[in-house]
Amino acid sequence: NAGVTQTPKFQVLKTGQSMTLQCAQDMNHEYMSWYRQDPGMGLRLIHYSVGAGITDQGEVPNGYNVSRSTTEDFPLRLLSAAPSQTSVYFCASSKRQGGVTEAFFGQGTRLTVV
Amino acid sequence: AQRVTQPEKLLSVFKGAPVELKCNYSYSGSPELFWYVQYSRQRLQLLLRHISRESIKGFTADLNKGETSFHLKKPFAQEEDSAMYYCAPSGGNTPLVFGKGTRLSVIA
């Protein structure tokens, strides 16, 4: 059972480039989320989805887009990378059982924007 | 607004000493509360949840609704407990909201 899989693990981008961080889960979870982790800032929510076709913004959505065409996949797109987006990105999924339950995390993507 | 406060960025204790990682929350309704742990170069993983009332790796956490706190405790710290710890409430259909985390360093 793979759980939550993120690709790539590491990425270096030049300012202005675009890219997509991939996230896939095989647990049939309804909820999926993207967080960024920065020193001293903890984990901040970027975007989330409560089911296929439904997405919503989190605390820090600017500069990022998401879509949820299938239950399994929740890609995060950086439209025009900026140095401020240098961070570690985590994808998470949760099962819906009368609300959000335990979140399972991917291994993270370390992104550097130069 | 939903808010989680972990007042200590870094907590250093000696091996065998008691540990308490503080968490206070401001949340509407009756949230479910979690503690997550991130060991060096690993993904975040669930440590425990208040609804289970269990002890994991010697850690316990009691929900105090009056003080809106969910402090994590362990009577005797071990070196392998060194990690980042995050408190996270959840409610309704919104994702987990994480505190800024506390780095626990256990000194031999």
Side-chain angles (χ1 to χ4, degrees):
Chain A
N1 191 340
V4 180
T5 302
Q6 286 183 238
T7 55
K9 289 185 179 180
F10 302 94
Q11 182 70 51
V12 178
L13 289 179
K14 293 182 179 179
T15 298
Q17 286 185 317
S18 63
M19 79 159 293
T20 299
L21 307 185
Q22 301 292 344
C23 177
Q25 53 95 6
D26 60 359
M27 298 173 282
N28 202 32
H29 285 170
E30 294 87 350
Y31 295 113
M32 296 187 75
S33 308
W34 277 101
Y35 296 87
R36 58 178 290 172
Q37 184 182 42
D38 302 290
M41 301 297 290
L43 285 135
R44 292 182 291 171
L45 181 66
I46 305 171
H47 286 285
Y48 66 99
S49 168
V50 300
I54 306 170
T55 63
D56 207 344
Q57 297 181 349
E59 180 185 357
V60 288
N62 293 340
Y64 308 94
N65 273 358
V66 292
S67 60
R68 185 94 180 273
S69 56
T70 67
T71 299
E72 294 78 19
D73 299 299
F74 191 45
L76 178 72
R77 297 183 191 84
L78 280 70
L79 309 174
S80 177
S84 61
Q85 293 178 304
T86 294
S87 187
V88 181
Y89 292 84
F90 287 97
C91 177
S93 74
S94 308
K95 185 173 181 58
R96 180 177 179 177
Q97 279 182 330
V100 176
T101 58
E102 175 188 353
F104 292 84
F105 283 83
Q107 76 273 28
T109 296
R110 187 174 295 273
L111 175 68
T112 302
V113 183
V114 298
Chain B
Q2 304 162 1
R3 188 173 298 172
V4 183
T5 303
Q6 293 182 248
E8 304 122 337
K9 285 188 178 180
L10 173 64
L11 183 64
S12 296
V13 301
F14 286 102
K15 178 181 175 181
V19 174
E20 183 178 48
L21 303 172
K22 292 184 168 56
C23 172
N24 288 90
Y25 65 93
S26 173
Y27 219 87
S28 59
S30 298
E32 185 169 358
L33 285 128
F34 302 84
W35 275 98
Y36 280 79
V37 61
Q38 186 180 26
Y39 300 104
S40 180
R41 298 187 181 279
Q42 295 188 23
R43 68 184 72 192
L44 280 90
Q45 57 187 284
L46 178 68
L47 179 62
L48 53 80
R49 53 199 299 179
H50 90 271
I51 200 169
S52 301
R53 294 182 170 273
E54 56 195 346
S55 174
I56 303 294
K57 299 184 179 182
F59 285 97
T60 59
D62 290 324
L63 176 60
N64 186 321
K65 291 186 178 180
E67 295 181 358
T68 59
S69 67
F70 189 54
H71 302 329
L72 183 68
K73 300 178 183 179
K74 184 170 182 176
F76 307 104
Q78 302 299 314
E79 289 180 74
E80 55 265 30
D81 296 329
S82 295
M84 277 293 289
Y85 291 81
Y86 292 96
C87 178
S90 171
N93 287 324
T94 56
L96 297 174
V97 174
F98 286 88
K100 293 187 177 181
T102 298
R103 180 169 298 281
L104 175 64
S105 177
V106 180
I107 305 164

